[in-house]
Amino acid sequence: MYDFEGQTVIVTGGTRGIGRGIAGRFLEAGAKVIATYSTNEAAAAQFRQDNSQFADNVDIQRLDVTKYEEVDGFFKYVDTNYKSFEVLVNNAGIRKDSVLAMMKESDWHDVMNVNLAGVFFMCKFAVRVLMRRRYGRIINVSSVMERYAFEGQANYAASKAGLIALTKSLSKEGATRGIMVNCVSPGFIVTELIQDLPDKLREAYLERIPLKRFGSAEEVAACVLFLASREASYVTGSNLEVSGGL
């Protein structure tokens, strides 16, 4: 168990799916967690209820990471109420799948705006704070799809590949200021998405995985906590796959 007592952690998309698992593990490790969500009020309320034992350390904020002005306002809120933070986990992401020839222009832009531009906005404001502190951890949640690029996922795969490149570049910019910037790339993880798959597709995906099972959000979170810890002081610019051997 890593110790994040006294640290403040920001997790975008932190109230459901993989983000929920990440935020929960940080709370268990003693951190104050600011979990953001975009539209799902019910999931945000459920997250708060399920983590009522950490009520003093849970802060849930609505945030559209694609809106520069909202991101600016969010970091002003953090500065006013927390003065600073130590960890940023960029987890917010969406998929809008379609074969490229039939893909709507809006679906391309929506995925790029959330998965890539949103991370750029969050990192831009975060780095300004962390550079002054000369310490920080940024973990970007990518996907093994940047490497596999399944059919119908040109927008998603491109956004996640771009996220890894962004991470490597930013890691070089932050290295001399004590800011470690890394990626975690999950494979097939049990979330709402996997649970809704048809049985045949689930079986096909399982056949691809050497461990012959889907991963859990908690297993992704364990890797995020390592990269966010003080112990990961010589790890930056890396991409840690959590995929069961894909």
Side-chain angles (χ1 to χ4, degrees):
M1 174 69 72
Y2 294 105
D3 183 8
F4 286 89
E5 191 76 33
Q7 293 194 42
T8 298
V9 177
I10 299 168
V11 183
T12 66
T15 61
R16 63 192 184 105
I18 290 174
R20 175 189 171 95
I22 292 169
R25 287 294 296 269
F26 273 116
L27 287 169
E28 291 171 1
K32 291 185 177 180
V33 174
I34 308 170
T36 78
Y37 72 101
S38 178
T39 58
N40 196 324
E41 297 276 359
Q46 189 65 52
F47 177 80
R48 185 187 300 278
Q49 180 179 326
D50 292 345
N51 290 280
S52 58
Q53 70 271 38
F54 305 114
D56 292 342
N57 285 346
V58 175
D59 186 352
I60 299 175
Q61 294 293 316
R62 186 165 187 165
L63 172 66
D64 183 346
V65 297
T66 70
K67 302 290 176 55
Y68 188 89
E69 295 79 9
E70 284 194 30
V71 175
D72 184 12
F74 171 78
F75 278 95
K76 287 175 179 175
Y77 166 83
V78 173
D79 181 63
T80 299
N81 291 274
Y82 294 90
K83 303 305 179 186
S84 190
F85 61 95
E86 287 73 29
V87 180
L88 166 64
V89 182
N90 286 305
N91 169 76
I94 63 169
R95 278 178 47 204
K96 291 190 174 182
D97 295 353
S98 174
V99 294
L100 191 143
M102 302 299 292
M103 185 177 291
K104 297 177 183 177
E105 182 183 2
S106 60
D107 287 349
W108 174 272
H109 288 302
D110 288 347
V111 170
M112 286 295 176
N113 284 339
V114 175
N115 296 2
L116 196 53
V119 174
F120 161 62
F121 294 158
M122 293 296 295
C123 286
K124 179 182 176 71
F125 285 97
V127 165
R128 292 174 177 177
V129 177
L130 300 177
M131 287 181 105
R132 292 196 298 269
R133 294 196 48 147
R134 304 189 72 84
Y135 177 87
R137 300 287 189 264
I138 298 175
I139 299 94
N140 298 321
V141 179
S142 183
S143 167
V144 295
M145 291 305 110
E146 62 85 21
R147 184 157 57 89
Y148 282 94
F150 286 175
E151 60 274 12
Q153 292 191 339
N155 51 359
Y156 183 77
S159 71
K160 293 302 186 179
L163 182 52
I164 290 176
L166 182 155
T167 298
K168 289 183 177 296
S169 182
L170 184 57
S171 72
K172 293 175 173 62
E173 296 174 9
T176 59
R177 300 296 184 94
I179 305 170
M180 307 296 113
V181 188
N182 294 285
C183 262
V184 167
S185 289
F188 295 107
I189 306 300
V190 178
T191 62
E192 296 91 340
L193 176 65
I194 294 293
Q195 290 171 344
D196 291 341
L197 286 175
D199 289 342
K200 280 191 175 181
L201 196 53
R202 285 174 62 92
E203 291 170 8
Y205 285 163
L206 281 170
E207 280 301 311
R208 295 173 180 258
I209 305 170
L211 288 183
K212 301 304 178 189
R213 67 175 180 85
F214 297 132
S216 69
E218 288 72 25
E219 287 172 313
V220 178
C223 296
V224 172
L225 260 68
F226 163 67
L227 292 172
S229 70
R230 295 187 182 276
E231 286 83 353
S233 56
Y234 201 61
V235 184
T236 196
S238 72
N239 176 36
L240 176 57
E241 290 195 0
V242 191
S243 67
L246 278 173

